[in-house]
């Protein structure tokens, strides 16, 4: 079975939103000498490939522990979009027929997970409305946010809340061709959390029958 790993490697170098808590791993025991290796981490939950929960962007939202796992598991469509820097993906940029309830956008606009750039592409609220009308309940993007870097109103996050669409951010789709796959990207069972890192993978479509 072909597995596409769509999660960036997590290291202290991975870029997080400016001002957010960076990733660090603290080693408390090490081999040889100790009979065990033991460590802990400190980090923003918005780390690498991650699921935002609705409590991140709305006062009435849910913690990530209450999100239905079906959002992050099942038939999924990868769509390529090439746009000028900083632009939102709008309905007119969508050329493909939507064939799955989970849709991931590859923009190539945040090419290095270890190097922050402000001018990544994002989603438009109109696109989220259109996708929700077509039965999409999860969207993903290969950038750190579904809204532009400097957005204060966070219109796309608000649209996600109002249409109850789940979201994956920070995924890596550079090696993945457009088309249909099975997505597995389960959040941790973190009570009341606003987000969770995920190990996001895609399985080739034929695995759907397994
Ligand atoms: Zn996030």
């Amino acid at each position: 079975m072909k597995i596409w790993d769509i999660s960036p490697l997590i290291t202290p170098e991975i870029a997080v939103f400016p001002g957010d808590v960076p990733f660090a791993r603290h080693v408390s025991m090490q081999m040889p000498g100790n009979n065990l290796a033991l460590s802990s981490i400190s980090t923003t939950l918005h780390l690498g490939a991650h699921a935002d929960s609705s409590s991140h962007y709305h006062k009435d939202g849910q913690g990530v522990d209450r999100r239905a796992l079906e959002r992050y598991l099942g038939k999924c469509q990868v769509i390529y979009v090439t746009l000028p820097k900083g632009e939102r993906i709008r309905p007119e940029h969508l050329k493909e027929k939507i064939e799955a309830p989970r849709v991931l956008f590859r923009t190539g606009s945040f090419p290095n997970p270890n190097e922050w750039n402000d001018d990544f592409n994002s989603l438009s609220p109109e696109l989220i409305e259109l996708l929700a009308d077509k039965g999409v309940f999860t969207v993903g993007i290969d950038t750190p946010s579904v809204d532009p870097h400097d957005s204060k109103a966070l219109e796309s996050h608000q649209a996600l809340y109002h249409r109850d669409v789940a979201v994956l951010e920070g995924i890596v789709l550079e090696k993945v061709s457009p088309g249909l796959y099975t997505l597995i990207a389960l959040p941790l069972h973190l009570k009341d959390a606003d987000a969770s890192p995920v190990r996001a993978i895609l399985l080739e479509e034929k695995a759907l029958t397994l």
Side-chain angles (χ1 to χ4, degrees), residues 71-122:
R71 300 301 190 95
Y72 310 102
L73 175 64
K75 190 175 181 182
C76 168
Q77 184 173 3
V78 173
I79 293 177
Y80 276 28
V81 183
T82 305
L83 290 177
K85 289 180 174 183
E87 220 168 274
R88 292 181 187 262
I89 307 171
R90 302 188 51 79
E92 58 266 33
H93 301 134
L94 193 64
K95 305 285 183 265
E96 286 80 357
K97 185 172 173 286
I98 297 300
E99 297 178 272
R102 304 165 195 82
V103 175
L104 308 181
F105 289 96
R106 179 200 183 275
T107 68
S109 64
F110 194 79
N112 183 351
N114 293 344
E115 197 174 303
W116 186 268
N117 60 282
D118 287 355
D119 51 3
F120 53 80
N121 295 127
S122 56

Side-chain angles (χ1 to χ4, degrees), residues 46 50 52 56 144 157 169 195:
H46 300 258
H50 69 276
D52 276 2
H56 177 53
H157 281 91
E169 295 167 332

